[in-house]
Amino acid sequence: MIAAGAVVSGMMLSPALAADLPVKAKPVPVYNWTGWYGGVNAGYGWQDKSAAYTGDVAADPLIGAGTVFTDALAIASLQATEETAVNHPAYRQSLRASGFTGGGQIGYNWQIERSWVTGFEADLQYANVKGRALFEEPSTGGTPLSAASSHQLDWFGTLRGRIGYLLSDRFLAFGTGGLAYGGTKGQAAISIIGPLGGTVDAGFVTKIICPGFTTCLAGSSSQTSVGWTAGAGLEYAVLPNVTIKTEYLHIDLRDQNVKLTVQSPATGNGFVNVKFSNAYDIVRMGMNFRF
């Protein structure tokens, strides 16, 4: 009887004891970054560089008519004096370009162990990054000049590698770099803004004869350039198949050259070369969807 009672008591106590035992929590799944993704982005681009005007011949005694114009601009803008102009320095205009960028990207990630992610990404972007500069020489009773330039980035794309470190299973800090390409346009002009024309002829290897109130030299160039890009960013997985990111890229498409030639009614064979810096900084936000 005692044994039977003990069994019955044990059976009665078992549910209470079981209720006191700790319940083992289900393991929380770790986010895995491996796989294909695609998405969209939008941002802002800018450039703080210069346009450098150089003449057709830059060494004495064979000076070209275009060099006479660039020397005059350098002196009028206080970038040179009568004494230093004998070295024919480039006349430079500061050119700030800025504007919207936006487009799409596609890529693939490989998660390496627990903390590292590597992969590649390609993107194609519309851009409206534009800048202009204008200098007008104060009238001193002679032949005042003006110089105008503009430059714009119309579109660009990149093909980059990515390497990142996981700050948590859903929060990725990454660096990126690779190939960049894009379409740009540059244009510039030199004009006489007074009634007196200018003549650079006798004794020079090239000549320019330009009436007053006339654009003497002008030119433009549209081109597709190839260069490099590098940057860094942060990306966070807000859902199992959705991430958001913020990113900075520096894009260098190499310098762009524009040749300014004589414009009618001006006459002559002198010319001026303008070199535009073709590098940009981009900041952007984006969203990716995992396939």
Side-chain angles (χ1 to χ4, degrees):
M1 293 295 293
I2 294 174
V7 170
V8 172
S9 299
M11 293 177 63
M12 294 175 64
L13 292 172
S14 294
L17 291 172
D20 293 336
L21 293 174
V23 177
K24 187 176 181 181
K26 294 182 179 180
V28 177
V30 176
Y31 190 86
N32 191 313
W33 288 79
T34 297
W36 287 96
Y37 64 87
V40 294
N41 68 80
Y44 177 80
W46 73 94
Q47 177 198 69
D48 286 299
K49 298 297 182 181
S50 66
Y53 292 63
T54 55
D56 39 14
V57 180
D60 288 322
L62 302 177
I63 298 175
T67 303
V68 174
F69 274 73
T70 56
D71 285 350
L73 286 168
I75 294 169
S77 63
L78 305 181
Q79 296 177 21
T81 65
E82 294 285 353
E83 291 75 20
T84 60
V86 297
N87 298 315
H88 312 300
Y91 161 67
R92 297 182 181 276
Q93 284 191 325
S94 296
L95 196 70
R96 176 172 177 84
S98 61
F100 170 81
T101 72
Q105 67 271 352
I106 188 169
Y108 190 86
N109 287 324
W110 290 276
Q111 184 161 347
I112 304 172
E113 297 180 346
R114 186 70 180 269
S115 298
W116 293 92
V117 175
T118 187
F120 65 87
E121 182 174 292
D123 68 289
L124 187 62
Q125 309 291 132
Y126 164 79
N128 187 33
V129 181
K130 298 180 179 180
R132 297 177 181 275
L134 173 65
F135 169 73
E136 292 185 336
E137 179 183 350
S139 178
T140 58
T143 307
L145 299 176
S146 73
S149 60
S150 67
H151 197 250
Q152 63 191 64
L153 175 66
D154 293 324
W155 63 272
F156 70 93
T158 70
L159 177 59
R160 295 171 283 110
R162 299 205 316 168
I163 181 72
Y165 180 78
L166 289 168
L167 305 176
S168 70
D169 65 325
R170 288 175 175 261
F171 194 20
L172 177 68
F174 64 87
T176 183
L179 177 74
Y181 54 95
T184 57
K185 182 178 181 179
Q187 53 189 3
I190 299 174
S191 303
I192 291 178
I193 55 175
L196 298 178
T199 298
V200 184
D201 190 354
F204 299 92
V205 294
T206 58
K207 66 179 181 179
I208 298 174
I209 301 173
C210 187
F213 296 117
T214 298
T215 296
C216 306
L217 300 130
S220 64
S221 170
S222 297
Q223 68 181 47
T224 299
S225 306
V226 178
W228 60 272
T229 181
L234 298 169
E235 189 166 2
Y236 184 75
V238 293
L239 294 171
N241 64 337
V242 179
T243 66
I244 57 175
K245 71 172 183 175
T246 181
E247 186 175 45
Y248 162 79
L249 290 177
H250 178 78
I251 296 172
D252 192 330
L253 299 177
R254 309 186 188 281
D255 293 336
Q256 181 171 0
N257 294 299
V258 175
K259 184 177 181 179
L260 311 188
T261 56
V262 174
Q263 305 295 302
S264 179
T267 58
N269 60 346
F271 61 90
V272 168
N273 292 307
V274 181
K275 181 171 70 175
F276 290 94
S277 175
N278 210 7
Y280 306 87
D281 295 292
I282 310 292
V283 290
R284 59 191 183 182
M285 299 285 293
M287 179 177 290
N288 287 322
F289 302 90
R290 299 182 62 190
F291 301 159

